[in-house]
Every structure is written in structure tokens, then in C-alpha cells.
Amino acid sequence: MTGPEERLRMAYVARRYYRDDATRSEIADEIGVSRFKIARMLERAKDQGIIKFEISAGDLVDPSLSVDLQKRFGLRRALVVGAPGDTDDIAREYVGKAAAQLLTEIVEEGDVVGFTSGRTVYAVAGFLESLARCDVVALGGVAGQATEHGVEILRRAQRIAGGRMWPIFAPLVVRDPATARALLHDPLIHEATSQFQRVTKGVVAVGSWDPPNSQLYDAARELGFADKLLAQGVVGEVAATLIADGGKTIDTIDDRTIAIRAETLRKIPEVICVGGGASKARAMRAAIAAGLIDSVVTDASLARELLTMN
């Protein structure tokens, strides 16, 4: 339990960061701690309700771009947000806010909501303030930093949703098929992956391989087979399904991944892809063409790039 003095410190840090636009380094110097401590204090302040965000879709969403994107690609929903800057961090924040608001509006009691890992999906979970009671399911194993992987995302969402959660305590991709088979036979992992069929709404990140901006790409490079996959035409991925231009799926590493498969992902009634930054446009275009996603929440730079593609 956080004491009153620590809560006051967190409130001060939050005011300086969000209201006064002070940097983490500046605040750290003011109170005599590291900037990493400031980052942790901000996260704790959000978790404990000290920081509360008021999200106004009217202030965020560009109606014209949203309609153009929806019509051009036949999407169920498209929300395009205007972010006051072109850095990845800013795009993730604004896309995360809009996607969290969308989930609050469309998730109904009894839904089963699936989440992939990813920095933008982590932002979505962080901005959730209310959600109808529902179960939450990891759509793949662990990828990325500890603060951004699927288990932590699921914990955040479950605290808001109040239903059951099924995390997957395994890597998203492993070195060989034998290891993947062994993990999939683990009782807890098997129980979690068996929930894929129940998912009614999915929230997924799209990873770009060309240019590289993907946690799965990073893992594949560490394991030594990223270049081989790039040579096969991989431009991106959703969950762990690799995709090429035109929407072709590439199953080269399917037997080494712990994640929902393309055929099951396509059966989910609505899959919402969240992501920003023009560099991800090629990957998102391929994901749409592959039929892996139904709705998109993105920023203006990615939307405009998509709209210029043939």
C-alpha cells in the first residue's frame, strides 16, 4: 500500500510532467531521483488512479481521414487521430487514447477480448479506465520489454475488465519446432491457447519488417533467421503471422511460434489493429489485404501514407 507521502510525491511528478510539460530528467533533478524512477512513479500513479485521463474523441479524431480510410479499404471502423508531433512515442500515446475510448464504447459484458503484445497495445491498456466485464486472453507469447509484453498488457486490462485472464508464459518465437511443440503441450499454455476460439474482439499491433519496427523481427534477428524471412518477402506481421505485399501469408516459422494462427484470427468477429507512424503503412496495408484485421486506429501520418498506396 502506498503511503500518503509517496502519493503526494507521485501527484507532484504527474503535475509537473503532464501539466507543466517538464521532462523526466528535469523532474528527477528537482526531487533527487533518477529519471527511471520518475518513469516508474508515473506508471504507478496511473495504476493507482492518481493520474486520470479525460479522453475526448472529438478532440482526437480526424473525421475526414477516418471516413476516407474506412471507405478505401472496406474497414468496419477507422479512427484516425491527429497527433501534435511525428515521433513514435507521441503517435503511440494518441492512438492508445483513441483505441482505449473505442474499446470502452464497443466491448459488451460477456465479450472475450484478445490482446497481442506491442508498444501501442501496451499504451491502449494503460489508458483504459472502464470496460464492461469481460474475459481477456493473450493472443501470443511474450515479446519485447517486460513492461510491454503480452502478460503485463493482460494484467492491466484484467484489472479494468474484472473477468478472467489467460496469459501465455512463453516466448512468442523459439529457436526450433521441437521447443514450440513442448511448450504448446504445457497444461497452462494449452489452456490459454484453447481460448483463442472464444475471442470476440481482438486488439492487435502490426509490426513492420521493412523498415524494421517489430518486436518479432528483433527476436527473429537474435535467433538468426530474420534475413531469410526478409528474402522471402516478409514486410510485416500481426500476432506471429508473417505477411508479404498483397496480403500473402508466409508460414515459414509457424511451427516455431506460440500465437494465434491466421485462420483463427480471421474468425474473430472484429480485430482492431492499432499502430501509428508512416513507416508501418506497408505492413498495415499487407495486413488489411490478408484479411487479418477489420478495423484500424492509427495516426494521420500512417493514414495518409496508406491512402497514397495503389
Side-chain angles (χ1 to χ4, degrees), residues 154-180:
L154 223 61
R155 284 175 178 151
R156 283 176 165 236
Q158 191 271 338
R159 283 198 295 267
I160 302 297
R164 292 190 62 185
M165 76 171 187
W166 280 272
I168 296 178
F169 293 100
L172 181 60
V173 60
V174 294
R175 189 172 298 278
D176 56 76
T179 302

PDB file of all heavy atoms in Angstrom, residues 154-180:
ATOM      1  N   LEU A 154      -2.099  -7.830 -20.426  1.00  0.00           N
ATOM      2  CA  LEU A 154      -3.275  -8.556 -19.958  1.00  0.00           C
ATOM      3  C   LEU A 154      -3.603  -8.210 -18.508  1.00  0.00           C
ATOM      4  O   LEU A 154      -4.771  -8.048 -18.150  1.00  0.00           O
ATOM      5  CB  LEU A 154      -3.032 -10.065 -20.101  1.00  0.00           C
ATOM      6  CG  LEU A 154      -4.217 -10.864 -20.655  1.00  0.00           C
ATOM      7  CD1 LEU A 154      -4.571 -10.389 -22.051  1.00  0.00           C
ATOM      8  CD2 LEU A 154      -3.902 -12.346 -20.663  1.00  0.00           C
ATOM      9  N   ARG A 155      -2.594  -8.092 -17.676  1.00  0.00           N
ATOM     10  CA  ARG A 155      -2.830  -7.731 -16.279  1.00  0.00           C
ATOM     11  C   ARG A 155      -3.510  -6.372 -16.168  1.00  0.00           C
ATOM     12  O   ARG A 155      -4.436  -6.186 -15.381  1.00  0.00           O
ATOM     13  CB  ARG A 155      -1.496  -7.704 -15.518  1.00  0.00           C
ATOM     14  CG  ARG A 155      -0.953  -9.085 -15.194  1.00  0.00           C
ATOM     15  CD  ARG A 155       0.408  -8.976 -14.550  1.00  0.00           C
ATOM     16  NE  ARG A 155       0.936 -10.289 -14.185  1.00  0.00           N
ATOM     17  CZ  ARG A 155       2.216 -10.600 -14.126  1.00  0.00           C
ATOM     18  NH1 ARG A 155       3.129  -9.677 -14.420  1.00  0.00           N
ATOM     19  NH2 ARG A 155       2.615 -11.801 -13.786  1.00  0.00           N
ATOM     20  N   ARG A 156      -3.036  -5.419 -16.961  1.00  0.00           N
ATOM     21  CA  ARG A 156      -3.641  -4.083 -16.932  1.00  0.00           C
ATOM     22  C   ARG A 156      -5.100  -4.148 -17.365  1.00  0.00           C
ATOM     23  O   ARG A 156      -5.977  -3.547 -16.738  1.00  0.00           O
ATOM     24  CB  ARG A 156      -2.883  -3.139 -17.858  1.00  0.00           C
ATOM     25  CG  ARG A 156      -1.555  -2.643 -17.290  1.00  0.00           C
ATOM     26  CD  ARG A 156      -0.834  -1.778 -18.323  1.00  0.00           C
ATOM     27  NE  ARG A 156       0.226  -1.030 -17.676  1.00  0.00           N
ATOM     28  CZ  ARG A 156       0.338   0.293 -17.714  1.00  0.00           C
ATOM     29  NH1 ARG A 156      -0.555   1.014 -18.362  1.00  0.00           N
ATOM     30  NH2 ARG A 156       1.327   0.914 -17.113  1.00  0.00           N
ATOM     31  N   ALA A 157      -5.374  -4.851 -18.462  1.00  0.00           N
ATOM     32  CA  ALA A 157      -6.742  -4.928 -18.971  1.00  0.00           C
ATOM     33  C   ALA A 157      -7.656  -5.677 -17.997  1.00  0.00           C
ATOM     34  O   ALA A 157      -8.804  -5.282 -17.786  1.00  0.00           O
ATOM     35  CB  ALA A 157      -6.746  -5.612 -20.341  1.00  0.00           C
ATOM     36  N   GLN A 158      -7.137  -6.740 -17.383  1.00  0.00           N
ATOM     37  CA  GLN A 158      -7.961  -7.532 -16.473  1.00  0.00           C
ATOM     38  C   GLN A 158      -8.357  -6.737 -15.236  1.00  0.00           C
ATOM     39  O   GLN A 158      -9.454  -6.899 -14.705  1.00  0.00           O
ATOM     40  CB  GLN A 158      -7.211  -8.808 -16.089  1.00  0.00           C
ATOM     41  CG  GLN A 158      -8.057  -9.840 -15.349  1.00  0.00           C
ATOM     42  CD  GLN A 158      -8.042  -9.644 -13.843  1.00  0.00           C
ATOM     43  OE1 GLN A 158      -7.117  -9.033 -13.309  1.00  0.00           O
ATOM     44  NE2 GLN A 158      -9.059 -10.167 -13.171  1.00  0.00           N
ATOM     45  N   ARG A 159      -7.465  -5.864 -14.765  1.00  0.00           N
ATOM     46  CA  ARG A 159      -7.800  -5.040 -13.603  1.00  0.00           C
ATOM     47  C   ARG A 159      -8.997  -4.142 -13.897  1.00  0.00           C
ATOM     48  O   ARG A 159      -9.797  -3.838 -13.006  1.00  0.00           O
ATOM     49  CB  ARG A 159      -6.597  -4.175 -13.196  1.00  0.00           C
ATOM     50  CG  ARG A 159      -5.528  -4.933 -12.450  1.00  0.00           C
ATOM     51  CD  ARG A 159      -4.612  -3.978 -11.695  1.00  0.00           C
ATOM     52  NE  ARG A 159      -3.845  -3.123 -12.571  1.00  0.00           N
ATOM     53  CZ  ARG A 159      -2.606  -3.402 -13.015  1.00  0.00           C
ATOM     54  NH1 ARG A 159      -2.017  -4.524 -12.637  1.00  0.00           N
ATOM     55  NH2 ARG A 159      -1.971  -2.562 -13.802  1.00  0.00           N
ATOM     56  N   ILE A 160      -9.140  -3.709 -15.144  1.00  0.00           N
ATOM     57  CA  ILE A 160     -10.262  -2.863 -15.530  1.00  0.00           C
ATOM     58  C   ILE A 160     -11.499  -3.706 -15.829  1.00  0.00           C
ATOM     59  O   ILE A 160     -12.608  -3.371 -15.417  1.00  0.00           O
ATOM     60  CB  ILE A 160      -9.908  -2.010 -16.765  1.00  0.00           C
ATOM     61  CG1 ILE A 160      -8.684  -1.140 -16.479  1.00  0.00           C
ATOM     62  CG2 ILE A 160     -11.085  -1.156 -17.202  1.00  0.00           C
ATOM     63  CD1 ILE A 160      -8.859  -0.132 -15.376  1.00  0.00           C
ATOM     64  N   ALA A 161     -11.310  -4.825 -16.546  1.00  0.00           N
ATOM     65  CA  ALA A 161     -12.442  -5.627 -17.011  1.00  0.00           C
ATOM     66  C   ALA A 161     -13.058  -6.487 -15.911  1.00  0.00           C
ATOM     67  O   ALA A 161     -14.264  -6.738 -15.915  1.00  0.00           O
ATOM     68  CB  ALA A 161     -12.014  -6.515 -18.172  1.00  0.00           C
ATOM     69  N   GLY A 162     -12.237  -6.969 -14.994  1.00  0.00           N
ATOM     70  CA  GLY A 162     -12.753  -7.737 -13.876  1.00  0.00           C
ATOM     71  C   GLY A 162     -13.072  -9.194 -14.150  1.00  0.00           C
ATOM     72  O   GLY A 162     -13.475  -9.923 -13.238  1.00  0.00           O
ATOM     73  N   GLY A 163     -12.907  -9.649 -15.397  1.00  0.00           N
ATOM     74  CA  GLY A 163     -13.174 -11.047 -15.693  1.00  0.00           C
ATOM     75  C   GLY A 163     -11.932 -11.906 -15.495  1.00  0.00           C
ATOM     76  O   GLY A 163     -10.984 -11.516 -14.821  1.00  0.00           O
ATOM     77  N   ARG A 164     -11.937 -13.086 -16.085  1.00  0.00           N
ATOM     78  CA  ARG A 164     -10.785 -13.981 -16.011  1.00  0.00           C
ATOM     79  C   ARG A 164      -9.749 -13.576 -17.053  1.00  0.00           C
ATOM     80  O   ARG A 164     -10.065 -12.916 -18.046  1.00  0.00           O
ATOM     81  CB  ARG A 164     -11.210 -15.434 -16.250  1.00  0.00           C
ATOM     82  CG  ARG A 164     -12.058 -16.033 -15.154  1.00  0.00           C
ATOM     83  CD  ARG A 164     -12.216 -17.525 -15.356  1.00  0.00           C
ATOM     84  NE  ARG A 164     -10.926 -18.217 -15.308  1.00  0.00           N
ATOM     85  CZ  ARG A 164     -10.765 -19.515 -15.556  1.00  0.00           C
ATOM     86  NH1 ARG A 164     -11.797 -20.259 -15.879  1.00  0.00           N
ATOM     87  NH2 ARG A 164      -9.571 -20.069 -15.490  1.00  0.00           N
ATOM     88  N   MET A 165      -8.514 -13.982 -16.823  1.00  0.00           N
ATOM     89  CA  MET A 165      -7.485 -13.725 -17.829  1.00  0.00           C
ATOM     90  C   MET A 165      -6.699 -14.995 -18.094  1.00  0.00           C
ATOM     91  O   MET A 165      -6.503 -15.824 -17.206  1.00  0.00           O
ATOM     92  CB  MET A 165      -6.566 -12.581 -17.413  1.00  0.00           C
ATOM     93  CG  MET A 165      -5.534 -12.892 -16.367  1.00  0.00           C
ATOM     94  SD  MET A 165      -4.363 -11.491 -16.205  1.00  0.00           S
ATOM     95  CE  MET A 165      -3.164 -12.222 -15.081  1.00  0.00           C
ATOM     96  N   TRP A 166      -6.272 -15.116 -19.339  1.00  0.00           N
ATOM     97  CA  TRP A 166      -5.463 -16.250 -19.765  1.00  0.00           C
ATOM     98  C   TRP A 166      -4.165 -15.740 -20.394  1.00  0.00           C
ATOM     99  O   TRP A 166      -4.096 -15.492 -21.602  1.00  0.00           O
ATOM    100  CB  TRP A 166      -6.231 -17.109 -20.777  1.00  0.00           C
ATOM    101  CG  TRP A 166      -7.224 -18.035 -20.139  1.00  0.00           C
ATOM    102  CD1 TRP A 166      -6.997 -19.292 -19.677  1.00  0.00           C
ATOM    103  CD2 TRP A 166      -8.600 -17.762 -19.912  1.00  0.00           C
ATOM    104  NE1 TRP A 166      -8.158 -19.827 -19.169  1.00  0.00           N
ATOM    105  CE2 TRP A 166      -9.161 -18.906 -19.295  1.00  0.00           C
ATOM    106  CE3 TRP A 166      -9.426 -16.662 -20.153  1.00  0.00           C
ATOM    107  CZ2 TRP A 166     -10.497 -18.987 -18.925  1.00  0.00           C
ATOM    108  CZ3 TRP A 166     -10.757 -16.731 -19.786  1.00  0.00           C
ATOM    109  CH2 TRP A 166     -11.279 -17.883 -19.185  1.00  0.00           C
ATOM    110  N   PRO A 167      -3.128 -15.558 -19.601  1.00  0.00           N
ATOM    111  CA  PRO A 167      -1.828 -15.153 -20.147  1.00  0.00           C
ATOM    112  C   PRO A 167      -1.097 -16.347 -20.743  1.00  0.00           C
ATOM    113  O   PRO A 167      -1.474 -17.506 -20.511  1.00  0.00           O
ATOM    114  CB  PRO A 167      -1.088 -14.616 -18.916  1.00  0.00           C
ATOM    115  CG  PRO A 167      -1.655 -15.417 -17.790  1.00  0.00           C
ATOM    116  CD  PRO A 167      -3.102 -15.707 -18.133  1.00  0.00           C
ATOM    117  N   ILE A 168      -0.072 -16.073 -21.521  1.00  0.00           N
ATOM    118  CA  ILE A 168       0.782 -17.130 -22.065  1.00  0.00           C
ATOM    119  C   ILE A 168       2.205 -16.866 -21.598  1.00  0.00           C
ATOM    120  O   ILE A 168       2.861 -15.930 -22.056  1.00  0.00           O
ATOM    121  CB  ILE A 168       0.711 -17.170 -23.612  1.00  0.00           C
ATOM    122  CG1 ILE A 168      -0.708 -17.534 -24.054  1.00  0.00           C
ATOM    123  CG2 ILE A 168       1.725 -18.167 -24.167  1.00  0.00           C
ATOM    124  CD1 ILE A 168      -0.892 -17.556 -25.571  1.00  0.00           C
ATOM    125  N   PHE A 169       2.659 -17.688 -20.669  1.00  0.00           N
ATOM    126  CA  PHE A 169       4.009 -17.528 -20.119  1.00  0.00           C
ATOM    127  C   PHE A 169       4.998 -18.341 -20.953  1.00  0.00           C
ATOM    128  O   PHE A 169       5.488 -19.386 -20.540  1.00  0.00           O
ATOM    129  CB  PHE A 169       4.039 -17.971 -18.653  1.00  0.00           C
ATOM    130  CG  PHE A 169       3.234 -17.082 -17.741  1.00  0.00           C
ATOM    131  CD1 PHE A 169       1.966 -17.458 -17.329  1.00  0.00           C
ATOM    132  CD2 PHE A 169       3.741 -15.860 -17.321  1.00  0.00           C
ATOM    133  CE1 PHE A 169       1.219 -16.632 -16.488  1.00  0.00           C
ATOM    134  CE2 PHE A 169       2.998 -15.030 -16.491  1.00  0.00           C
ATOM    135  CZ  PHE A 169       1.734 -15.424 -16.073  1.00  0.00           C
ATOM    136  N   ALA A 170       5.234 -17.837 -22.160  1.00  0.00           N
ATOM    137  CA  ALA A 170       6.165 -18.484 -23.088  1.00  0.00           C
ATOM    138  C   ALA A 170       6.611 -17.446 -24.094  1.00  0.00           C
ATOM    139  O   ALA A 170       5.914 -16.448 -24.324  1.00  0.00           O
ATOM    140  CB  ALA A 170       5.492 -19.657 -23.806  1.00  0.00           C
ATOM    141  N   PRO A 171       7.777 -17.638 -24.729  1.00  0.00           N
ATOM    142  CA  PRO A 171       8.206 -16.683 -25.762  1.00  0.00           C
ATOM    143  C   PRO A 171       7.273 -16.713 -26.967  1.00  0.00           C
ATOM    144  O   PRO A 171       6.641 -17.737 -27.259  1.00  0.00           O
ATOM    145  CB  PRO A 171       9.607 -17.181 -26.145  1.00  0.00           C
ATOM    146  CG  PRO A 171      10.018 -18.109 -25.043  1.00  0.00           C
ATOM    147  CD  PRO A 171       8.757 -18.703 -24.513  1.00  0.00           C
ATOM    148  N   LEU A 172       7.195 -15.616 -27.687  1.00  0.00           N
ATOM    149  CA  LEU A 172       6.393 -15.569 -28.903  1.00  0.00           C
ATOM    150  C   LEU A 172       7.000 -16.451 -29.983  1.00  0.00           C
ATOM    151  O   LEU A 172       6.279 -17.101 -30.747  1.00  0.00           O
ATOM    152  CB  LEU A 172       6.306 -14.123 -29.403  1.00  0.00           C
ATOM    153  CG  LEU A 172       5.482 -13.868 -30.668  1.00  0.00           C
ATOM    154  CD1 LEU A 172       4.036 -14.279 -30.470  1.00  0.00           C
ATOM    155  CD2 LEU A 172       5.573 -12.400 -31.073  1.00  0.00           C
ATOM    156  N   VAL A 173       8.326 -16.490 -30.067  1.00  0.00           N
ATOM    157  CA  VAL A 173       9.003 -17.311 -31.056  1.00  0.00           C
ATOM    158  C   VAL A 173      10.197 -17.988 -30.395  1.00  0.00           C
ATOM    159  O   VAL A 173      10.857 -17.405 -29.539  1.00  0.00           O
ATOM    160  CB  VAL A 173       9.451 -16.463 -32.280  1.00  0.00           C
ATOM    161  CG1 VAL A 173      10.410 -15.354 -31.869  1.00  0.00           C
ATOM    162  CG2 VAL A 173      10.084 -17.325 -33.371  1.00  0.00           C
ATOM    163  N   VAL A 174      10.435 -19.240 -30.774  1.00  0.00           N
ATOM    164  CA  VAL A 174      11.547 -20.014 -30.214  1.00  0.00           C
ATOM    165  C   VAL A 174      12.431 -20.515 -31.352  1.00  0.00           C
ATOM    166  O   VAL A 174      12.111 -20.375 -32.531  1.00  0.00           O
ATOM    167  CB  VAL A 174      11.041 -21.194 -29.364  1.00  0.00           C
ATOM    168  CG1 VAL A 174      10.308 -20.679 -28.128  1.00  0.00           C
ATOM    169  CG2 VAL A 174      10.135 -22.119 -30.172  1.00  0.00           C
ATOM    170  N   ARG A 175      13.547 -21.119 -30.988  1.00  0.00           N
ATOM    171  CA  ARG A 175      14.562 -21.454 -31.981  1.00  0.00           C
ATOM    172  C   ARG A 175      14.173 -22.605 -32.905  1.00  0.00           C
ATOM    173  O   ARG A 175      14.550 -22.639 -34.083  1.00  0.00           O
ATOM    174  CB  ARG A 175      15.882 -21.797 -31.274  1.00  0.00           C
ATOM    175  CG  ARG A 175      17.076 -21.948 -32.222  1.00  0.00           C
ATOM    176  CD  ARG A 175      18.365 -22.101 -31.458  1.00  0.00           C
ATOM    177  NE  ARG A 175      18.657 -20.926 -30.642  1.00  0.00           N
ATOM    178  CZ  ARG A 175      19.217 -19.830 -31.119  1.00  0.00           C
ATOM    179  NH1 ARG A 175      19.553 -19.748 -32.401  1.00  0.00           N
ATOM    180  NH2 ARG A 175      19.459 -18.801 -30.332  1.00  0.00           N
ATOM    181  N   ASP A 176      13.407 -23.592 -32.392  1.00  0.00           N
ATOM    182  CA  ASP A 176      13.131 -24.776 -33.207  1.00  0.00           C
ATOM    183  C   ASP A 176      11.726 -25.299 -32.947  1.00  0.00           C
ATOM    184  O   ASP A 176      11.134 -25.028 -31.896  1.00  0.00           O
ATOM    185  CB  ASP A 176      14.166 -25.877 -32.932  1.00  0.00           C
ATOM    186  CG  ASP A 176      14.224 -26.242 -31.465  1.00  0.00           C
ATOM    187  OD1 ASP A 176      13.319 -26.943 -30.997  1.00  0.00           O
ATOM    188  OD2 ASP A 176      15.175 -25.807 -30.771  1.00  0.00           O
ATOM    189  N   PRO A 177      11.175 -26.095 -33.882  1.00  0.00           N
ATOM    190  CA  PRO A 177       9.815 -26.613 -33.733  1.00  0.00           C
ATOM    191  C   PRO A 177       9.631 -27.517 -32.514  1.00  0.00           C
ATOM    192  O   PRO A 177       8.558 -27.509 -31.905  1.00  0.00           O
ATOM    193  CB  PRO A 177       9.600 -27.397 -35.038  1.00  0.00           C
ATOM    194  CG  PRO A 177      10.519 -26.761 -36.022  1.00  0.00           C
ATOM    195  CD  PRO A 177      11.733 -26.376 -35.234  1.00  0.00           C
ATOM    196  N   ALA A 178      10.643 -28.285 -32.153  1.00  0.00           N
ATOM    197  CA  ALA A 178      10.509 -29.190 -31.012  1.00  0.00           C
ATOM    198  C   ALA A 178      10.229 -28.414 -29.723  1.00  0.00           C
ATOM    199  O   ALA A 178       9.397 -28.828 -28.898  1.00  0.00           O
ATOM    200  CB  ALA A 178      11.772 -30.025 -30.859  1.00  0.00           C
ATOM    201  N   THR A 179      10.914 -27.297 -29.552  1.00  0.00           N
ATOM    202  CA  THR A 179      10.684 -26.469 -28.366  1.00  0.00           C
ATOM    203  C   THR A 179       9.269 -25.918 -28.367  1.00  0.00           C
ATOM    204  O   THR A 179       8.583 -25.898 -27.334  1.00  0.00           O
ATOM    205  CB  THR A 179      11.703 -25.319 -28.311  1.00  0.00           C
ATOM    206  OG1 THR A 179      13.022 -25.852 -28.307  1.00  0.00           O
ATOM    207  CG2 THR A 179      11.491 -24.470 -27.075  1.00  0.00           C
ATOM    208  N   ALA A 180       8.810 -25.468 -29.522  1.00  0.00           N
ATOM    209  CA  ALA A 180       7.450 -24.935 -29.621  1.00  0.00           C
ATOM    210  C   ALA A 180       6.417 -26.007 -29.292  1.00  0.00           C
ATOM    211  O   ALA A 180       5.452 -25.750 -28.558  1.00  0.00           O
ATOM    212  CB  ALA A 180       7.209 -24.375 -31.017  1.00  0.00           C
TER     213      ALA A 180
END
